[in-house]
Amino acid sequence: MASQPRINAALVAVIRMARTAKNASAGGSGNPVHYIRNEARPDKAFTTDRAKKAGKANASSGQIFVTIAPDHFGPIPAENDPKRRLGVLVGETWEDRLECRQWGAHFPHVAGIAGQSEHGAQSVALSGGYIDDEDHGEWFLYTGSGGRDLSGNKRTNKEQSSDQKFDKMNAALRLSCKKGYPVRVVRSHKEKRSSYAPETGVRYDGVYRIEKCWRKIGVQGTYKVCRYLFVRCDNEPAPWTSDLHGDRPRPLPKIKELQGATDITERAGSPSWDYVENEGWKWVKPPPISKKPAQSGDPETDKQFRKYQKRAHMSMNERLLKEFGCSICKNVMKEPLTTPCGHNFCKACLTAAFGDEGSMRERSRGGRTLRAQKIVKNCPSCPTDICDFLENPQINIEMKDLIDNLLAKAAKEKTDAEGSAEENDDDEEDALEKEEEDDSSLNEEENDDGAENKAGEEDAVVKIVVDAKDELKKPLKRKGDEEEEAKDEKKIKTTAAAATDVENAAEEDAEKAEDKEEEGAKKLQKKRKGRAEAAGTAAGGGKRKRASPAAAEEKAAAAAAGGGKRKKTSPAAAEETTPAAASTPRRATRSGGAVAGGSPASRTRSNTKAGN
DNA sequence: GGGCCCGCAGGG
DNA sequence: CCCTGCGGGCCC
């Protein structure tokens, strides 16, 4: 064996599978995938060779973590957030639209409006897709969709080429306007013209009501666009204010462009979502009934949802177990034997395959005793003679443990079939993951002891992993005080997962680093930074992220120095009488020093940013 | 930063 | 089933 070692193909397959599954579920593309686990998604994000050229948008989108119906109106409450029991908080920031979608704030991953023409609009995204948009924070003017030429396989097109009409999504928005439904609003970093957009990612800014809508010739000057006046009406303060309370009803801003507008629509009757003294904003009329199979809330579908999750998870276990199949009986191996030639069988199967034969056969011919002949026993999977091995076959203990682990896991899942969502969460870590966690903690300890015995490439890898871990820990240690308990567990898992992820990345890059050491190192560092940042998000675990103080400062300064961007880009704004006018000095005051509730994480981030 | 190109989700 | 759509990675 030593002279001609054989690779255990089954183990290779299992390890590879476990690893790719992990990468897939841990988001191989470097996004903070802390939440994505065992979802029913293909291992390969890309289905065709041609598609590989394209990016994340071509991957299937991730699992939805909240249990709201797809057409749920209003804030996402804690009871629909089984993972964190927090709900989606104002200020929560995601890396991109796909991640935002996973938390239900805004489901479409390209379209800016979520809604149904006969039912209403649930959410909008401010992403800079329409230059007509005008953002004043507490209120903004939004532009409808359509009127553009999307021929030629385009997804967007900056240029209007026909009038927008109040149909489809535009009708949905108008309906929400008429009924006074709350509309969730997310702002994207892609909205460059707004002072209220986040620097990075996509941020949930709370709910707004559409007070009016109309049609008007757009800024491009030729075609009509649908226009909507959104005014904030959330019980949580906006991410850019230091206010401790949410919105109060405010007078509508004067909109100059309303003059000469057509098809003006205002709310018909009293709004469904309104402000009640001492209670805040709430449904004063029952919210619209969901027209879609709710993912939860209703026990029937909830069960289906869990079953779906379960199945997705089971399949992973099952697939792993399948790799541990005995090629004789086709079942998962019992008492696995690993032959010198690297094949695996149940002990019983293999011994049965050769009967009770010994290894030698006595031969006699005509009274003479011939030299005993060694019996050749070929491995059932290859021509190798495994006779000697069969003399004293040793069970592969490690493999057995692994199989037992997987089996126990599978059995537990079955037992827990009717269990709660929390229990399911616990199940998510499978045996392999645990093993890896153990490994990594081992590595860490080794290094804490000052292990200098590792050389070269391996050393680099380990160092990177450890460094990354340290970085990962920083935001955790300085994390805020709220919700500690609820998130502790998650954080740990997250860190471990992220660290392993880094480890994988480091391994991948190790080769490159060898050849182009410097370039490679740079790359690694970049990667590491990315992961650490990602972990920062993870550490927040959805903790609200305030708009970064540095950015606010900069913007406030710009505003102070003569009107700033806003005036330049929004000539039609009626600033004097608007509530938003008050927000500028407020931000200025805040940037003067007192930042209430700025999270350490975001401070770190903005510092980094400022460094750039 | 802009152009390109695609998969995907969801409305209708 | 077809059409639409304020994405996103890659290449330049």
Side-chain angles (χ1 to χ4, degrees):
Chain A
M1 243 203 119
S3 65
Q4 209 178 359
R6 299 296 179 88
I7 291 165
N8 189 324
L11 278 181
V12 171
V14 175
I15 291 167
R16 182 187 290 165
M17 184 179 290
R19 180 171 275 173
T20 56
K22 182 162 199 144
N23 283 347
S25 70
S29 45
N31 60 351
V33 257
H34 21 285
Y35 305 115
I36 309 176
R37 272 179 252 162
N38 60 310
E39 59 207 34
R41 296 291 169 185
D43 286 353
K44 284 190 179 172
F46 310 108
T47 47
T48 64
D49 270 356
R50 275 204 320 178
K52 282 181 185 169
K53 274 200 294 182
K56 202 194 275 178
N58 289 329
S60 37
S61 63
Q63 190 186 34
I64 308 296
F65 303 125
V66 291
T67 56
I68 55 168
D71 56 353
H72 167 86
F73 286 84
I76 297 162
E79 56 261 36
N80 287 313
D81 175 11
K83 303 233 175 228
R84 311 176 304 170
R85 295 270 158 218
L86 280 177
V88 175
L89 302 172
V90 167
E92 230 170 291
T93 303
W94 304 280
E95 191 190 320
D96 52 39
R97 287 281 294 270
L98 288 163
E99 209 191 5
C100 168
R101 165 190 161 75
Q102 294 187 277
W103 286 96
H106 184 69
F107 282 110
H109 65 256
V110 175
I113 305 164
Q116 307 77 35
S117 58
E118 302 292 319
H119 196 221
Q122 291 85 30
S123 57
V124 298
L126 285 94
S127 304
Y130 288 78
I131 55 167
D132 301 66
D133 290 358
E134 211 182 282
D135 194 359
H136 299 261
E138 323 294 331
W139 64 276
F140 61 88
L141 296 178
Y142 197 72
T143 312
S145 59
R148 291 172 166 184
D149 176 23
L150 297 179
S151 64
N153 206 11
K154 287 190 282 288
R155 299 295 175 270
T156 55
N157 182 350
K158 291 273 170 194
E159 205 174 331
Q160 297 296 132
S161 53
S162 63
D163 284 349
Q164 286 186 357
K165 286 181 286 187
F166 278 116
D167 61 358
K168 299 178 180 172
M169 294 304 143
N170 297 344
L173 282 174
R174 187 171 61 174
L175 190 55
S176 283
C177 168
K178 283 180 184 166
K179 299 275 188 182
Y181 293 153
V183 181
R184 289 186 302 275
V185 170
V186 297
R187 283 184 174 82
S188 159
H189 69 102
K190 288 190 167 186
E191 174 53 277
K192 301 292 182 197
R193 296 161 48 257
S194 165
S195 317
Y196 301 91
E199 281 178 277
T200 56
V202 181
R203 186 187 64 209
Y204 173 62
D205 286 348
V207 292
Y208 288 61
R209 277 190 321 201
I210 304 170
E211 302 294 341
K212 282 178 188 176
C213 57
W214 60 92
R215 282 207 304 164
K216 211 185 179 230
I217 302 288
V219 295
Q220 293 185 7
T222 331
Y223 301 101
K224 283 191 173 181
V225 292
C226 298
R227 302 280 282 161
Y228 303 86
L229 168 62
F230 281 69
V231 178
R232 198 167 190 279
C233 53
D234 201 287
N235 289 317
E236 294 184 77
W240 52 83
T241 79
S242 55
D243 289 353
L244 296 176
H245 58 79
D247 301 299
R248 303 272 192 266
R250 47 168 70 83
L252 295 188
K254 282 183 189 165
I255 309 297
K256 282 182 183 166
E257 70 164 67
L258 263 174
Q259 299 187 349
T262 59
D263 312 289
I264 300 175
T265 306
E266 295 189 34
R267 183 146 51 244
S270 64
S272 296
W273 176 263
D274 208 358
Y275 189 77
V276 177
E277 204 58 46
N278 299 323
E279 289 186 76
W281 299 91
K282 57 181 285 197
W283 291 100
V284 294
K285 292 180 183 177
I289 296 158
S290 170
K291 293 188 171 181
K292 308 198 180 191
Q295 243 173 14
S296 167
D298 153 33
E300 193 57 39
T301 46
D302 199 63
K303 210 166 144 192
Q304 283 182 338
F305 180 56
R306 265 186 308 204
K307 209 166 120 195
Y308 174 80
Q309 281 187 310
K310 188 116 294 177
R311 193 168 17 138
H313 189 206
M314 284 301 287
S315 74
M316 182 58 196
N317 257 345
E318 280 167 357
R319 275 156 54 211
L320 288 173
L321 281 169
K322 203 176 154 196
E323 295 301 320
F324 286 121
C326 165
S327 44
I328 295 174
C329 69
K330 310 293 179 196
N331 295 323
V332 177
M333 285 179 283
K334 288 173 187 154
E335 299 187 302
L337 296 180
T338 299
T339 64
C341 48
H343 297 108
N344 310 296
F345 309 95
C346 306
K347 185 175 184 183
C349 291
L350 193 58
T351 48
F354 298 100
D356 288 335
E357 280 181 287
S359 60
M360 304 298 242
R361 188 183 342 163
E362 298 297 329
R363 294 192 300 180
S364 54
R365 189 180 286 166
R368 286 185 300 169
T369 301
L370 299 177
R371 195 170 56 182
Q373 189 186 41
K374 195 180 175 191
I375 297 172
V376 172
K377 296 179 176 176
N378 288 334
C379 167
S381 297
C382 74
T384 306
D385 176 16
I386 54 169
C387 188
D388 290 343
F389 172 76
L390 286 169
E391 278 296 282
N392 185 21
Q394 300 288 314
I395 289 167
N396 186 335
I397 299 293
E398 288 183 31
M399 192 181 280
K400 183 176 182 302
D401 288 348
L402 194 46
I403 291 170
D404 288 348
N405 226 330
L406 287 167
L407 285 172
K409 206 84 200 165
K412 186 167 174 286
E413 272 158 17
K414 233 168 215 172
T415 331
D416 288 355
E418 301 300 307
S420 72
E422 278 97 356
E423 280 166 348
N424 290 347
D425 285 353
D426 291 343
D427 288 352
E428 283 173 11
E429 276 169 346
D430 59 49
L432 278 153
E433 245 174 33
K434 269 184 187 139
E435 301 242 321
E436 287 201 29
E437 269 174 41
D438 289 347
D439 283 355
S440 55
S441 63
L442 247 166
N443 280 346
E444 195 169 20
E445 268 173 30
E446 268 174 32
N447 257 271
D448 286 345
D449 293 342
E452 286 148 359
N453 48 348
K454 307 229 171 188
E457 182 177 298
E458 197 190 347
D459 190 21
V461 170
V462 170
K463 190 176 180 307
I464 284 154
V465 171
V466 171
D467 281 357
K469 275 184 189 163
D470 286 347
E471 265 184 82
L472 294 174
K473 275 180 193 160
K474 279 179 202 160
L476 299 188
K477 279 178 188 158
R478 290 189 288 155
K479 196 192 151 294
D481 36 29
E482 339 152 58
E483 314 127 11
E484 276 288 355
E485 230 181 311
K487 277 192 224 135
D488 255 352
E489 205 191 351
K490 167 140 267 157
K491 279 187 302 189
I492 291 160
K493 283 183 194 171
T494 300
T495 313
T500 327
D501 200 9
V502 171
E503 191 173 2
N504 288 341
E507 273 171 16
E508 279 166 29
D509 274 357
E511 277 182 49
K512 289 181 208 160
E514 246 183 341
D515 290 334
K516 319 173 190 172
E517 235 179 69
E518 245 182 292
E519 202 184 352
K522 253 187 235 163
K523 244 184 211 163
L524 285 172
Q525 216 161 17
K526 208 170 152 191
K527 216 162 202 168
R528 189 171 61 185
K529 205 174 128 194
R531 309 281 162 145
E533 242 178 58
T537 318
K543 189 177 157 56
R544 53 178 64 186
K545 269 192 205 157
R546 297 279 168 189
S548 91
E553 218 169 294
E554 190 183 292
K555 279 166 188 169
K565 280 184 200 166
R566 289 216 322 261
K567 242 173 200 164
K568 205 166 58 190
T569 53
S570 43
E575 296 270 346
E576 319 83 31
T577 53
T578 66
S583 75
T584 304
R586 190 161 62 226
R587 287 192 303 138
T589 320
R590 181 173 58 124
S591 61
V595 179
S599 81
S602 68
R603 212 171 294 150
T604 311
R605 282 165 64 94
S606 56
N607 285 347
T608 318
K609 198 90 191 171
N612 297 337

